[in-house]
Amino acid sequence: MDKSYSSTTESDIYQSWEKSGAFTPKIDKSKKPYSIILPLPNANDPMHMGHALFTIQDILIRYHRMLGEPTLWLPGGDHAGIETQFVFEKKLQKDGKSRFDFDRQTLYSLIWDFVEKNRTLNQFQMKKLGFSMDWSRYHYSLESPIVDNVLATFRKLYDDGLIYRDEKIVNYCTFCGTAFSNLEVVHKNVDSHLWYIKYGPLTVATTRPETMLGDTAIAVNPKDERYKKLIGQKILLPLVNREIPVIGEESVDIEFGTGAVKVTPSHSPEDYDMAKKHDLEFIRIFDYDGKSNQNVPEKYRGLFPNQIRQLVIDDLTTAGLMEKIEDYSHEVGHCYRCGRPIEPITAPQWYIKMESLAKPAIAAAKNGDVKFFPSRFKKTYIDWMENIRDWNISRQIVWGPQIPVWYCLDCNPQIKINFLDKDKNIVSGFYKNIKDKYSIEEIKSGLQSLVAPVDASFVVDKFDNCPKCHSGALIQETDTFDTWFLSGQWPINTLGFNPKDSSKSSPDFSYFYPTTVMDTLWDILFFWVARMIMFGLYLTKDVPFKTVHLHSRVVDSKGQKMSKSKGNVIDPLVMTEKYGTDALRMSLVYGIAPASDFVVSEDKIRAHRNFVNKIWNASRFVLMIIERFQEKNPNLKIAPLSQGGVSEERGGLNDDDKNILNNLNKIIISTTSDINRYHFGQASENLYQFFWHDFCDVYIEKAKDRGEDVVPVLLTVLINSLKLLHPIVPFVTESVYQIFKDIVHLEEPQLITASWPKAIKLK
RNA sequence: GAAUCUGUAGCUCAGUUGGUUAGAGCGCUUCAUUGACAUUGAAGAGGUCACAGGUUCGAGUCCUGUCAGAUUCACCA
């Protein structure tokens, strides 16, 4: 053995595991399976420390594999809709291009190629980190069987009356060109102003003066004596010179501002609700590109909100209508992806009714069909589920499966179409206005996007001709699914669920579903975990996993979240190169409380590199003693003590032997229970303490003064320690095991599939 | 506005259902070591466990309040 442990053998060891078939479970109906579906990483993204935390799953998987259970860890990769398109668009921007330069088919295939180039990278990286995943069951989210199932789910939801279109106010990012769900909006505090604007006889206070061009009412509290008599009257909207009514609305706070609120139903969620209640007019002044449209006076057209804001403020001031301006800070929604302010805008979108889906998902948490670890997340989950809102599943991007709905253009001439004509010029207009100039083929081949009116008729299956008017001008909805709509069905679809006839699902599905544990970061509890539970129950009548284990995020030694902008990112693969994979893995779990932040620093990794080396060198010492013994007794078989008990015939045990075997038994019991309870930090700490101090510093030091009678106990403690440590530090332990296997008698061919230790009976 | 979490050694954090002198890593001090390992060993300094009450034979651990920090959710102009 070399003088110190070298991690250069890691890839050989990994390959030998893979070749031996250890990662691929055999379905054995007499045994209970253990299964984990990997939270599918973005296929396009290199691994960061967050991904390195899959180590937790690997520990569970390796432990259960050693317990002899058929153990499946199913890996995958996500196309990651908006994330990937965003990254790709940034790349386009560098080349001086944008998404508007391409029709959607071309753009889609460009992104496809872009992802394919990178897709194998993180598979390679996961192998580097030692993850014992079953690569024969790897799935990519855009594989056609997966996508087919996702579309079938849409169809089922539609048939069950759970899908509807509506033109509500949505969170729209004009830069990304798509709507988002509430979860994807980041609220940030912004220092701004409160503008007091004179509207005829009263004054309103607003944080968004630019939206006044779309005002369709003024709201006051009916109890407010100041304005009571104005309710029902009409007021002339400044700058626009349009008459708008004064309405009475209880939700208006008399104390705030002037007690009078301008109402812009198309660009404010609260105003939208008010308008629905009071049957007000909706005037949308911003289009989906973020610029103002025909609904505003000419001088304000074609401008972005901030440009109009300045113009409006100037004009109001000139007209003497700006009463005062106060400093004011408030929460403004921002796009989680590009960071720009979200424009609330009314737009037709696709929704899922959530109430009936949430109900069984709440029950599953309450009755323990799904358990949460740590348990406090159960409350968070139930609170969210009980207040759930309908889910906007449509995204106006190209990267992802399109919603499987077709419109007949002849039945719906009001559909607005954006496309590139044969000369690559952008054409935009209602179908009725462009149908005479362009053929349906030209429109389809250059299609970028379409916007169908909220009441447009559609069919959910693909027909060659319109079932109603028999026109051949059918065109598919250009909206794609929210990524989570697909990944929410991931456990079902990767295991081979058959949506048409669940009894014809694959053997994997019937054996491994529901899976045992879902381990993921708590920040996608609502995005992902909740949706998987709802979809699982809706489609299969069974939860997708029995336990949710939520872990926390990786932070630096100062407790700060790692991010590129802070410059505190530690690249797990660089650490792997520098200190070995085992050192990284150990440092990720060592001393970490369940579900608290993971503190990672290079110092810590270095410290555990030392520990890994300690394992190596202690083994080297044991080997040396054994070889010395073998020289004297060349014919004697050397093997660890059997778990059945210690034979006194070998010359008996002295107090040191009994002591270390007692401690070994204790550590076997505590490690087993710690892993069962997800206390990996505790398990690793105890193992560290036992191996380094009890075994090396005490027992081995004393053994130096003894004869060869130490060999059986020495070997027993070492081999059992290797087994206990294997889930956490798989490479060094397997590597030592293989060396020993050639020299002493070890029954099991490799450590990865060796049996988990049990306490040894002492007489 | 609502909810949750955290506050233990210079730094980063453990401490399982309350039980004898509160632990680890890094850092610091002193010493040892050509024999598995300088990626080592031995010894040591350093904490009124945020604060104030309470329950208990006994509280870092349970309860209440205060202070400080963090996070999540939420349509307030």
Short mmCIF file of all heavy atoms in Angstrom, two decimals, chain A residues 669-684 686, chain B residues 16:
data_model
loop_
_atom_site.label_atom_id
_atom_site.label_comp_id
_atom_site.label_asym_id
_atom_site.label_seq_id
_atom_site.Cartn_x
_atom_site.Cartn_y
_atom_site.Cartn_z
N ILE A 669 -24.72 -0.11 16.39
CA ILE A 669 -26.12 0.17 16.75
C ILE A 669 -26.46 1.64 16.52
O ILE A 669 -27.50 1.97 15.95
CB ILE A 669 -26.36 -0.23 18.23
CG1 ILE A 669 -26.31 -1.76 18.34
CG2 ILE A 669 -27.70 0.30 18.73
CD1 ILE A 669 -26.13 -2.27 19.75
N SER A 670 -25.56 2.54 16.94
CA SER A 670 -25.90 3.96 16.82
C SER A 670 -25.89 4.42 15.37
O SER A 670 -26.75 5.19 14.95
CB SER A 670 -24.94 4.82 17.66
OG SER A 670 -23.67 4.89 17.06
N THR A 671 -24.95 3.92 14.57
CA THR A 671 -24.91 4.32 13.16
C THR A 671 -26.18 3.86 12.46
O THR A 671 -26.78 4.61 11.69
CB THR A 671 -23.68 3.72 12.46
OG1 THR A 671 -22.51 4.12 13.16
CG2 THR A 671 -23.58 4.20 11.02
N THR A 672 -26.58 2.64 12.73
CA THR A 672 -27.80 2.11 12.13
C THR A 672 -29.00 2.98 12.48
O THR A 672 -29.77 3.38 11.60
CB THR A 672 -28.03 0.66 12.62
OG1 THR A 672 -26.87 -0.11 12.34
CG2 THR A 672 -29.23 0.04 11.92
N SER A 673 -29.13 3.31 13.75
CA SER A 673 -30.30 4.09 14.13
C SER A 673 -30.19 5.54 13.65
O SER A 673 -31.17 6.15 13.26
CB SER A 673 -30.56 3.99 15.62
OG SER A 673 -30.02 5.09 16.29
N ASP A 674 -28.98 6.07 13.63
CA ASP A 674 -28.82 7.45 13.14
C ASP A 674 -29.20 7.57 11.65
O ASP A 674 -29.84 8.53 11.25
CB ASP A 674 -27.39 7.94 13.35
CG ASP A 674 -27.13 8.36 14.79
OD1 ASP A 674 -28.11 8.70 15.49
OD2 ASP A 674 -25.97 8.34 15.22
N ILE A 675 -28.78 6.60 10.87
CA ILE A 675 -29.13 6.68 9.44
C ILE A 675 -30.64 6.48 9.26
O ILE A 675 -31.26 7.18 8.48
CB ILE A 675 -28.33 5.65 8.61
CG1 ILE A 675 -26.83 5.98 8.67
CG2 ILE A 675 -28.80 5.66 7.14
CD1 ILE A 675 -25.95 5.05 7.88
N ASN A 676 -31.18 5.56 10.02
CA ASN A 676 -32.64 5.37 9.94
C ASN A 676 -33.41 6.64 10.27
O ASN A 676 -34.49 6.86 9.76
CB ASN A 676 -33.08 4.26 10.90
CG ASN A 676 -32.75 2.88 10.36
OD1 ASN A 676 -32.61 2.70 9.15
ND2 ASN A 676 -32.62 1.91 11.24
N ARG A 677 -32.83 7.45 11.14
CA ARG A 677 -33.52 8.69 11.55
C ARG A 677 -33.02 9.90 10.77
O ARG A 677 -33.30 11.04 11.14
CB ARG A 677 -33.30 8.94 13.05
CG ARG A 677 -33.92 7.87 13.94
CD ARG A 677 -33.68 8.18 15.40
NE ARG A 677 -32.26 8.38 15.66
CZ ARG A 677 -31.78 9.31 16.50
NH1 ARG A 677 -32.59 10.12 17.13
NH2 ARG A 677 -30.48 9.43 16.67
N TYR A 678 -32.26 9.69 9.74
CA TYR A 678 -31.72 10.77 8.91
C TYR A 678 -30.75 11.67 9.68
O TYR A 678 -30.55 12.82 9.31
CB TYR A 678 -32.82 11.62 8.28
CG TYR A 678 -33.86 10.81 7.54
CD1 TYR A 678 -35.15 10.67 8.04
CD2 TYR A 678 -33.54 10.16 6.36
CE1 TYR A 678 -36.10 9.91 7.37
CE2 TYR A 678 -34.48 9.40 5.68
CZ TYR A 678 -35.76 9.28 6.19
OH TYR A 678 -36.69 8.53 5.53
N HIS A 679 -30.17 11.16 10.76
CA HIS A 679 -29.19 11.95 11.50
C HIS A 679 -27.79 11.65 10.97
O HIS A 679 -26.97 11.04 11.66
CB HIS A 679 -29.27 11.63 13.00
CG HIS A 679 -30.44 12.26 13.67
ND1 HIS A 679 -31.73 12.11 13.23
CD2 HIS A 679 -30.55 13.06 14.77
CE1 HIS A 679 -32.56 12.79 14.02
NE2 HIS A 679 -31.87 13.37 14.96
N PHE A 680 -27.54 12.06 9.74
CA PHE A 680 -26.26 11.74 9.10
C PHE A 680 -25.10 12.44 9.79
O PHE A 680 -23.99 11.93 9.85
CB PHE A 680 -26.29 12.11 7.62
CG PHE A 680 -27.49 11.54 6.91
CD1 PHE A 680 -28.53 12.38 6.52
CD2 PHE A 680 -27.60 10.19 6.67
CE1 PHE A 680 -29.65 11.86 5.89
CE2 PHE A 680 -28.71 9.66 6.04
CZ PHE A 680 -29.75 10.51 5.65
N GLY A 681 -25.36 13.65 10.25
CA GLY A 681 -24.32 14.42 10.93
C GLY A 681 -23.83 13.68 12.16
O GLY A 681 -22.63 13.54 12.40
N GLN A 682 -24.78 13.18 12.92
CA GLN A 682 -24.46 12.46 14.13
C GLN A 682 -23.73 11.16 13.79
O GLN A 682 -22.72 10.83 14.42
CB GLN A 682 -25.76 12.15 14.89
CG GLN A 682 -25.54 11.72 16.31
CD GLN A 682 -24.94 12.83 17.15
OE1 GLN A 682 -25.46 13.93 17.20
NE2 GLN A 682 -23.81 12.55 17.77
N ALA A 683 -24.21 10.46 12.81
CA ALA A 683 -23.59 9.19 12.42
C ALA A 683 -22.13 9.41 12.03
O ALA A 683 -21.24 8.68 12.48
CB ALA A 683 -24.36 8.57 11.26
N SER A 684 -21.90 10.43 11.20
CA SER A 684 -20.54 10.64 10.73
C SER A 684 -19.63 11.10 11.87
O SER A 684 -18.46 10.70 11.94
CB SER A 684 -20.51 11.65 9.58
OG SER A 684 -21.14 12.84 9.96
N ASN A 686 -19.91 10.34 15.09
CA ASN A 686 -19.61 9.19 15.94
C ASN A 686 -18.61 8.25 15.28
O ASN A 686 -17.72 7.72 15.95
CB ASN A 686 -20.89 8.42 16.26
CG ASN A 686 -21.80 9.20 17.18
OD1 ASN A 686 -21.37 10.14 17.84
ND2 ASN A 686 -23.07 8.85 17.19
P U B 16 -30.09 16.45 21.59
OP1 U B 16 -30.71 17.10 20.44
OP2 U B 16 -29.98 17.14 22.89
"O5'" U B 16 -30.82 15.07 21.85
"C5'" U B 16 -32.21 15.01 21.59
"C4'" U B 16 -32.49 13.93 20.56
"O4'" U B 16 -31.26 13.50 19.93
"C3'" U B 16 -33.12 12.65 21.15
"O3'" U B 16 -34.54 12.68 20.97
"C2'" U B 16 -32.54 11.53 20.32
"O2'" U B 16 -33.31 11.25 19.19
"C1'" U B 16 -31.20 12.09 19.87
N1 U B 16 -30.07 11.63 20.69
C2 U B 16 -29.38 10.52 20.26
O2 U B 16 -29.69 9.92 19.26
N3 U B 16 -28.33 10.13 21.06
C4 U B 16 -27.91 10.74 22.22
O4 U B 16 -26.95 10.29 22.82
C5 U B 16 -28.67 11.88 22.61
C6 U B 16 -29.72 12.28 21.85
#
